[in-house]
Structure formats: C-alpha cells, structure tokens
Amino acid sequence: MYTNKEIWNVTYPIFLGLLAQNVINVTDTAFLGHVGEVALGAAAMGGLLYICVYTVAFGFSVGSQILIARRNGEGNFHVIGPVMWQGTAFSLGMGVALLAILLVCAEPLIRLLITSDTIFHATYEFFTWRIWGFLFAFVNVMFRALYIGITKTKVLTMNAVVMALVNVFLDYAMIFGKCGFPEMGIRGAALASVIAEASSMLFFVVYTYGKIDLKKYGLNRFGHFDWDMVMRILRISCFTMVQYFLSMAIWFVFFMALERLGQRQLAIANIVRSVYVVLLIPVQSLSTTANTLVSNLIGSGGVAGVVRLLHKIARMSFLIMVVCVALCVIFPQAILSVYTNEEALLLESVPALYVVCGAMLIAALANIYFNGISGTGNTQAALGLEVGVQIFYALYIIVVGMMLRAPVDVCFTTEVIYYSLMLTFSVIYLKKAKWQNKKI
C-alpha cells in the first residue's frame, strides 16, 4: 500500500508538468484575448478541434501506460522498451495519416461545424497551422506514458517547463510581432504551439538517451515493427482512445452550441474554460497517479488494497480542490482579468466561473475513481461508463444551449451533472463489478 508521501512523490512532478503545459493554453487565451473576440473564439474552436484529434493519440498512450505500469509492478523491466518503441512507431504513423487527412478535409469540416463566416475563416487559419503539431505531440505522449508507467515523473516537469517557456516567448513574439518576428496574430499562436511541441520532443529524446538505463528497460533496441505488440497495446488502449476522443468531442458540441449564441458568449466560454482547465490540473495529476499506481499495485499482487488507495488519493484531490475553488470564489475578477481588460466581459464571465467551481468539487472525486477503473485494465468498462454519461451530457447541452439558447452560466451546469453521474457510476462499479482478476 502506498503512503501519502509516495503518492505525492509521483503526483507533484505530473502536477508541475501539467501546470507548465497549461501555460500554453493560458497564454494563448490571454494574448489572443487582447487581440479581439473573434481571435479568442476562433482559437477556442480550432484548439478544441485539434485536441479532439490529439486525444486519439493520448488515449493510445494511456493504454500503453497501463501496460508499462503493470510490467513495472511485476518487475519485468526488459519488456517495457518494446511497448514504448512499438507504440511510438504506431502513434507517429497515426499522426502523419491524420495530418494528411485534415489538410485535405479541414475546410469543409470546419464550415460544417461553424455558422459565423468571421469565426470560420479565423478558425480555419488557426487550425491548418496548428495540426502540424501532430508530428511531435503524437511522439510526446508515448514518452509521457513511459515515465509515468515507471513512476519516474520528475522529467515531465522539466520537459513541460521547456515547452512552456518556448511557447510563452514565441506567443508574445509571433502574435504581436515583437523581437524581430513578423506580426502573425492568430497564426502566430498556432505556430508557437507547434514549435513548443517540437522542443518538447527534442528534450525527451535527449534526456532519455542521457539519463535512463536503456538496457534495463529494453530501450536500447527497436528491432522490426511488431504488429503483435501493437495489437496487444490496442486491446487495452482502443477503448481509452474512443473514450478520450468522445470526452473532447462532447466539449466541441458544447462550444458549437455557444458559437450559435454569438461571439460574446463564445468569448466568455473560452475564458472560463481556460480557468476550468487550470483548476483541473491537480485533479488530472492525481488521476494519472491513481491510474498508474493501481496498475503497479495489481502487478505486485496488491489487488486487495486498490479501493483503499483510491479513497486516499480522492481525499487528497478534494482537499486541494477546496483551496483552489475558495481562491476563485474570493478573487474571481482578479483571476479573470488575466484574460481580458474589458470590464463588461469580465463581469459577465463571473457567474459561469462560479458554476464551474461547483463542478470542480465533484470532479475532484469523480476523476480519481473513474481513472482507478482504467488502472485495473478494465478500459472497456470505463468506455461504457463514459459513453452512457456523455449521451446525457450531449442531450442536455443540445436542449439547453441550442434549443433554449440559455446563457453561458446555465450551459455550464452540464458539468455539474456530468461529474455527479461519473462519480456515482464509478463508485458503484468499483463496489459491485468483478474487476479484480483482469489480466493484461
């Protein structure tokens, strides 16, 4: 059984890494918020579309991470390298294929999803630059899976700091035309993110070859492409790939509904979503820890302690979120002013922020137990649970956002319902289902 200190030792580098990575989201939103509402809305739509595709690779890496963590817990270290390299080759191949498809299909796809001509043109401009990041991001997720799976997470912090620093500098330089760069506006934000992802991949490669015992983990040879290994990974990760894609696709439905309410509502939603993403960082960090520690614990024969471990991590997650939410409730305008200096837009964003704060208190528990299910290797059950909840989510936002055309704060109540259902069904599954003997 892991102690609080051991849990935190795995979690805090992931937390710092996610914090640094989300500087990209925050700086893009903050800088573009000073360019105008159209740029802010287009970056939201283009960014979400990018993430919807990116989550396919992320879902694949989570399946790989579960497998790596199980082998790490068993002490079969030499098997980890083949999982890593075969998974990386497959993930990069996916990235190249998706890039080619989207370069051809981006314009009709975005036209289908967005009604405003102004936002359509800006979104298309942003997206066609942003998708070049697939070539690097689809490799980065596999390095992340490796280091989380073997619980050497400190490198994630260093990597994310490098990526964040590159992105912040290039955002400032390329969006506004500073430091000798041309003024590129929304294209500059997209290109800055792509270069930041490239710098992240370079860092991972250099660090791995310089600091890791390649022979111990079987990382010193690639061999030939092994479809059997890839299929073994896919048997676990295919469900997480669909799950993560659907979780982001449903966000896109949410923003489609708000885009139809007008540029103002879309701008408010993007600002609040940016705060929402930052609030989720400690929860995501502890959820990732829960996922990998559950798999390691089962691999070492500690299946009886899984639920107790999840309770312990959930308590930590909830207490941290109480502090974060309290700061948002006490200083809402100070936090929102990072994204805009327009007083009216600031005030209109506060009610939606309060709704998100309520949702985050439930999310702090729901995400831990839900990721615990994936950590057991029962990714098919996790997908089924996610799909069931998301069907309700989609129906709710279609009715409230598209049919009733409710304001942004009312639309965000769907997050409260989503996490409440997720928490309820996850706890029921862990108590009632027979997940203890899953072999991967």
Side-chain angles (χ1 to χ4, degrees), residues 48-252:
L48 276 173
L49 193 54
Y50 173 86
I51 293 172
C52 282
V53 182
Y54 164 80
T55 49
V56 174
F58 189 80
F60 179 76
S61 77
V62 170
S64 305
Q65 173 194 313
I66 292 167
L67 195 57
I68 288 169
R70 185 66 59 89
R71 299 296 170 259
N72 191 65
E74 293 168 350
N76 293 325
F77 304 118
H78 65 283
V79 183
I80 289 171
V83 175
M84 166 64 185
W85 291 133
Q86 299 296 328
T88 300
F90 181 78
S91 186
L92 180 58
M94 277 198 304
V96 171
L98 289 167
L99 172 62
I101 292 168
L102 286 169
L103 284 173
V104 175
C105 301
E107 187 171 4
L109 175 64
I110 295 170
R111 179 76 280 181
L112 180 68
L113 297 172
I114 294 175
T115 57
S116 164
D117 286 339
T118 308
I119 292 179
F120 161 73
H121 290 299
T123 301
Y124 177 72
E125 183 180 21
F126 178 87
F127 185 69
T128 50
W129 283 81
R130 186 69 186 91
I131 54 178
W132 288 95
F134 291 157
L135 299 177
F136 313 108
F138 278 47
V139 175
N140 290 340
V141 291
M142 287 303 301
F143 279 106
R144 181 181 183 275
L146 169 67
Y147 285 111
I148 292 174
I150 64 175
T151 68
K152 295 183 183 297
T153 53
K154 291 182 180 179
V155 62
L156 302 182
T157 302
M158 294 183 282
N159 176 266
V161 167
V162 169
M163 188 164 66
L165 290 174
V166 170
N167 189 77
V168 170
F169 170 73
L170 291 179
D171 256 354
Y172 174 73
M174 291 180 167
I175 292 173
F176 302 114
K178 305 293 185 181
C179 305
F181 286 84
E183 184 177 345
M184 299 176 68
I186 196 168
R187 281 181 298 137
L191 184 56
S193 296
V194 172
I195 296 172
E197 285 172 337
S199 69
S200 171
M201 188 184 78
L202 179 61
F203 179 90
F204 271 135
V205 170
V206 172
Y207 183 92
T208 301
Y209 277 91
K211 296 289 187 180
I212 298 300
D213 186 341
L214 302 180
K215 187 175 180 180
K216 174 184 176 181
Y217 291 106
L219 292 164
N220 55 333
R221 51 189 167 76
F222 176 82
H224 63 280
F225 186 72
D226 186 352
W227 266 113
D228 289 339
M229 176 62 74
V230 171
M231 292 307 297
R232 198 177 309 159
I233 299 170
L234 280 171
R235 276 194 288 272
I236 302 169
S237 62
C238 62
F239 301 109
T240 55
M241 290 164 76
V242 176
Q243 174 200 322
Y244 278 98
F245 174 78
L246 290 176
S247 67
M248 289 311 305
I250 209 74
W251 257 109
F252 199 84

Side-chain angles (χ1 to χ4, degrees), residues 322-343:
V322 167
V323 175
C324 294
V325 164
L327 291 172
C328 286
V329 171
I330 296 169
F331 308 109
Q333 294 191 35
I335 291 168
L336 293 169
S337 64
V338 172
Y339 303 97
T340 181
N341 50 15
E342 185 185 335
E343 189 68 25

Side-chain angles (χ1 to χ4, degrees), residues 365-393:
L365 300 173
N367 275 295
I368 303 301
Y369 292 110
F370 179 72
N371 274 271
I373 295 173
S374 295
T376 66
N378 289 275
T379 52
Q380 185 174 2
L383 172 61
L385 195 157
E386 178 90 18
V387 169
V389 174
Q390 285 186 355
I391 288 171
F392 187 87
Y393 184 111

Side-chain angles (χ1 to χ4, degrees), residues 282-302:
V283 177
Q284 288 176 323
S285 307
L286 285 160
S287 298
T288 302
T289 299
N291 186 305
T292 199
L293 290 187
V294 164
S295 194
N296 270 279
L297 189 61
I298 294 173
S300 61

